[in-house]
Amino acid sequence: MPTSHSLENSQIFISFTHKQAPPNPMAAAAPPPPPSAAPEPSMAAPETTPIGHPVFTRIRLATPSDVPFIHKLIHQMAVFERLAHLCSATESSLSSNLFLSPPFHSFTIFLLELSSSPIPPLLSPSPSFTPIEKTFNFDIPVNDPEKDAFSIYYGDQQVIIGGFVLFFPNYSTFLGKPGFYVEDLFVRECYRRKGFGKMLLSAVAKQAVKMGYGRVEWVVLDWNVNAITFYEQMGAKVLPEWRICRLTGDALQAYQNANV
């Protein structure tokens, strides 16, 4: 921070009134006093200059106690993708399927936490993953109208859940290596286009490299141009020649008594 400079030895002129002889019109006029030194310009930033609004973030492994947040995030994602009519997940169904295996062996979720202050360390961190922390600085504060519904407390400090990514292992026979398939990547609306989605997806890719995996794959809706551009900027290749094939609902149940 530049230091403000000012004059420390300013001249002080004090005028005294006293009796004196009448002025001699022939006497030479006294020279004017020397001009005061001009003040040095201040190098400090004006008070109106924004000082920034830091947002402290952390990516950590989700735990069973996070299921209520995960369920709300999934519902918001379904609404955003215009697929809410297909979303039947409940907190109970999520609890009965997630967190049954060690992280990265099956379904794994990274959560994005945000706070205006440094986030306290986890009391019981997982040995499988070291949380990733990063500080962002914005010109204006982020307005989160739903922060109370997505708040978790570490002592007295309020921390907000801003998004999540759910992924699990798959296998490439061509590469002869496992990989990760990203089922869902979602950032709540007020936190989008700020680098948080990139942070979540980068955490998955970094974990894949750490484990010697060969690829990370996911799908994107064809109308979501912003997401497609975002993924391409991250280095992903969109494969238009491939199509998703899915058996679900009655079509899947029809195989219950199938003669295989």
Side-chain angles (χ1 to χ4, degrees), residues 64 93-103 105-108:
S93 64
L94 295 174
S95 297
S96 63
N97 290 283
L98 302 175
F99 312 112
L100 301 181
S101 302
H105 291 223
S106 183
F107 314 118
T108 302

Side-chain angles (χ1 to χ4, degrees), residues 7-260:
L7 292 176
E8 297 180 356
N9 299 314
S10 301
Q11 295 180 350
I12 302 176
F13 297 94
I14 304 176
S15 175
F16 293 92
T17 302
H18 60 281
K19 294 182 180 179
Q20 58 180 353
N24 185 349
M26 301 302 294
S36 301
E40 298 182 17
S42 173
M43 301 301 293
E47 294 181 0
T48 56
T49 300
I51 59 175
H53 298 270
V55 174
F56 299 86
T57 67
R58 177 169 68 193
I59 292 178
R60 64 167 174 84
L61 284 168
T63 66
S65 63
D66 296 312
V67 166
F69 298 120
I70 296 169
H71 180 248
K72 284 184 285 190
L73 289 168
I74 291 173
H75 182 264
Q76 287 194 354
M77 179 181 62
V79 172
F80 171 76
E81 294 181 345
R82 309 169 192 172
L83 299 172
H85 60 288
L86 299 178
C87 184
S88 60
T90 64
E91 290 187 22
S92 176
S93 64
L94 295 174
S95 297
S96 63
N97 290 283
L98 302 175
F99 312 112
L100 301 181
S101 302
F104 314 121
H105 291 223
S106 183
F107 314 118
T108 302
I109 296 177
F110 285 157
L111 283 182
L112 169 68
E113 295 181 317
L114 309 104
S115 176
S116 58
S117 303
I119 302 175
L122 297 172
L123 296 178
S124 301
S126 170
S128 303
F129 178 74
T130 301
I132 299 173
E133 298 183 356
K134 186 175 182 180
T135 303
F136 294 78
N137 199 59
F138 302 111
D139 291 336
I140 58 176
V142 179
N143 180 28
D144 184 355
E146 298 180 300
K147 65 179 182 180
D148 290 336
F150 287 91
S151 291
I152 185 171
Y153 286 86
Y154 295 97
D156 295 332
Q157 184 170 340
Q158 183 183 32
V159 175
I160 311 301
I161 303 297
F164 81 111
V165 58
L166 186 154
F167 57 101
F168 49 85
N170 61 4
Y171 192 83
S172 168
T173 54
F174 284 13
L175 296 178
K177 290 183 176 182
F180 281 139
Y181 182 82
V182 176
E183 178 67 22
D184 292 319
L185 170 66
F186 180 73
V187 174
R188 292 172 49 224
E189 184 174 3
C190 61
Y191 296 111
R192 292 176 196 155
R193 298 180 180 86
K194 292 177 171 57
F196 301 138
K198 180 179 181 180
M199 188 178 176
L200 279 167
L201 189 56
S202 296
V204 178
K206 183 174 182 178
Q207 185 66 29
V209 175
K210 178 181 178 180
M211 299 176 68
Y213 285 9
R215 62 171 57 154
V216 176
E217 292 184 313
W218 61 95
V219 298
V220 60
L221 291 165
D222 58 1
W223 57 261
N224 197 344
V225 178
N226 289 334
I228 293 173
T229 301
F230 163 66
Y231 295 143
E232 289 177 334
Q233 290 174 345
M234 289 197 66
K237 293 182 179 180
V238 179
L239 307 176
E241 66 274 19
W242 290 84
R243 295 291 185 270
I244 299 174
C245 299
R246 178 179 294 161
L247 272 174
T248 188
D250 292 341
L252 177 61
Q253 294 303 318
Y255 285 87
Q256 180 176 1
N257 300 316
N259 185 14
V260 179

